[in-house]
Amino acid sequence: IPPIIDDLPGESTIECPDQPEFAQATAADECDGLVDLSYEDQLIEGNCPGNYTVIRHWTAVDDCGNTSLASQTINVRDVTSPTIVCPSNITAGDCDETYICLAEAEDECDGDDLHIEYNYACDYHFPVGTTTVTASTSDACGNSVYCDFTVTVVANPACTLNPPTNLPQAGSTNNSLCVTNNSAVTYAWTVNGT
């Protein structure tokens, strides 16, 4: 008569990155109490690294070589999207260089090795006004996530030159033009190289 392996838990499913934890099998034999228990794990890969199944096959053998088999199955599934954090909204002048590829992303199963895509090139020259930038990423199992931020480009202020009434004379110095905009700016020049 083969030994009897006590009932093991039924098939279950856990979420990546949790690791399978199997119950300890126990067995008894009607003729003697000496039962040798051993197991072997079978890995069945899924359609992505975060999806797989592990089956633990138990074998019980008594002193006479009678054998019993039992198994426990645990499925692991990656169903959670990565996390992504966009930079704060950006404000820049019309002539400023703007770099937008500043989002960060990570995944509990894939770590931080994620490719982030943007709906504009990293060094895109944005027009005057406010533009919404979207950053998105997906993990190896196809779970995706995105975030938005804005880039606001402010037009350069218009300048009005007010030439002096008396034009500078050759040999004169410390002449200036008044530039009227949001702040007082004075330009100085020399005439005929002096």
Side-chain angles (χ1 to χ4, degrees):
I1 298 176
I4 298 174
I5 300 177
D6 296 329
D7 290 340
L8 293 169
E11 183 174 348
S12 61
T13 299
I14 60 175
E15 185 174 339
C16 178
D18 293 343
Q19 298 295 315
E21 295 184 2
F22 292 92
Q24 174 61 52
T26 57
D29 186 76
E30 292 184 358
C31 296
D32 61 70
L34 299 178
V35 178
D36 181 27
L37 269 174
S38 62
Y39 68 83
E40 182 176 348
D41 288 340
Q42 176 188 4
L43 173 63
I44 302 174
E45 296 181 350
N47 59 342
C48 61
N51 291 343
Y52 59 93
T53 297
V54 181
I55 304 174
R56 176 159 293 184
H57 299 279
W58 288 95
T59 301
V61 182
D62 64 17
D63 285 344
C64 295
N66 299 307
T67 302
S68 293
L69 302 175
S71 64
Q72 180 184 354
T73 300
I74 298 180
N75 304 302
V76 181
R77 297 291 180 263
D78 182 0
V79 297
T80 301
S81 297
T83 58
I84 188 169
V85 178
C86 274
S88 300
N89 294 333
I90 299 173
T91 300
D94 192 14
C95 295
D96 294 337
E97 294 184 0
T98 304
Y99 185 82
I100 64 168
C101 294
L102 301 172
E104 298 180 353
E106 63 179 1
D107 186 73
E108 289 188 343
C109 297
D110 297 345
D112 57 4
D113 186 22
L114 296 171
H115 174 68
I116 301 176
E117 295 184 349
Y118 299 83
N119 58 335
Y120 292 94
C122 293
D123 56 355
Y124 180 75
H125 184 75
F126 289 90
V128 173
T130 299
T131 304
T132 299
V133 177
T134 299
S136 60
T137 188
S138 298
D139 62 22
C141 290
N143 303 302
S144 61
V145 67
Y146 71 92
C147 62
D148 295 325
F149 62 100
T150 61
V151 176
T152 300
V153 176
V154 180
N156 292 328
C159 298
T160 302
L161 295 178
N162 300 318
T165 303
N166 298 318
L167 295 176
Q169 302 298 314
S172 63
T173 60
N174 297 323
N175 299 292
S176 64
L177 286 178
C178 175
V179 179
T180 303
N181 55 21
N182 293 335
S183 60
V185 179
T186 300
Y187 289 87
W189 76 97
T190 59
V191 178
N192 294 334
T194 60

